Amino acid sequence: KKITTGTDLEVISILKMLNSKKDPIAEDLITQLLLHPSPQVKLETLRLISGSNNEDVKNRLQELIHGNETAEIRQESVKAMAKIGKTDWGLRQFMDSSDEGIQKAALSGMLQNKETHVRNMAEEYMSRLIQRGEKSDKMQACEILNDVRDGYSHPVHYQLIKDPDAQVQANAIKACGKSSDKATMDELMEALPKHGKNVMIALQNA
């Protein structure tokens, strides 16, 4: 009953409790909450979606993406869809979007997808961003890597840490996290003492 009559904070609290159970009833309620009138409840619901990729969830996410929603909700919907989506869900359209926010959301989600083919598509795109040479591409790659730092490590992340541009270096260091691989961590240590403060923060995050 609180799902329909509670305040936003009460609904969000219940949502987090249901999500921790990981049972079918919780998934059904989470799907229903994507229709909640509160934008904040929708956002929290989207951020907690991680496992279910049934047609009901897919349809609700598509409604949010193509409906009259805020840019933040649309981006979080794309990220959720990219995270749980199957190969035939047409995720490439979001990865190739001219809207930078949508593109970042798609890449962040796809890099955390359990399906190897989906993850590989995003990884190859990220490799092009990192190795293309344009600073703006590298900065975008850093933002995405920072978003997924505790659940994914890109094999050429280390190249950003030793980039000639100091701003790219600093952002690449901040994008190190619990999932960073050995090559990235080795390059992180090479950034001492120049980036001492950021390296120490990155080591704490890892």
Side-chain angles (χ1 to χ4, degrees), residues 58 62 81 85-96 110 118 121:
K58 176 187 176 182
Q62 287 181 326
M81 189 166 175
K86 301 176 184 178
T87 304
D88 61 357
W89 278 24
L91 300 175
R92 181 175 286 279
Q93 64 177 306
F94 303 118
M95 187 176 73
D96 294 334
M110 290 170 73
V118 173
M121 275 199 301

Side-chain angles (χ1 to χ4, degrees), residues 30-47 49 56-81 94 102:
I30 286 171
T31 303
Q32 290 177 31
L33 285 173
L34 291 176
L35 296 174
H36 196 280
S38 165
Q40 192 58 41
V41 170
K42 285 179 183 174
L43 281 173
E44 290 300 327
T45 305
L46 289 165
R47 288 167 182 156
I49 291 175
D56 285 342
V57 173
K58 176 187 176 182
N59 291 338
R60 291 267 160 68
L61 290 173
Q62 287 181 326
E63 288 170 8
L64 291 174
I65 292 167
H66 300 294
N68 187 26
E69 302 289 347
T70 65
E72 189 176 11
I73 288 176
R74 290 181 63 242
Q75 288 168 16
E76 285 295 334
S77 299
V78 167
K79 187 185 293 185
M81 189 166 175
F94 303 118
I102 293 294

Side-chain angles (χ1 to χ4, degrees), residues 117-132:
H117 178 67
V118 173
R119 202 166 56 249
N120 285 348
M121 275 199 301
E123 191 166 278
E124 289 169 9
Y125 195 101
M126 288 289 290
S127 292
R128 292 195 294 273
L129 286 179
I130 293 169
Q131 298 171 330
R132 193 175 285 163

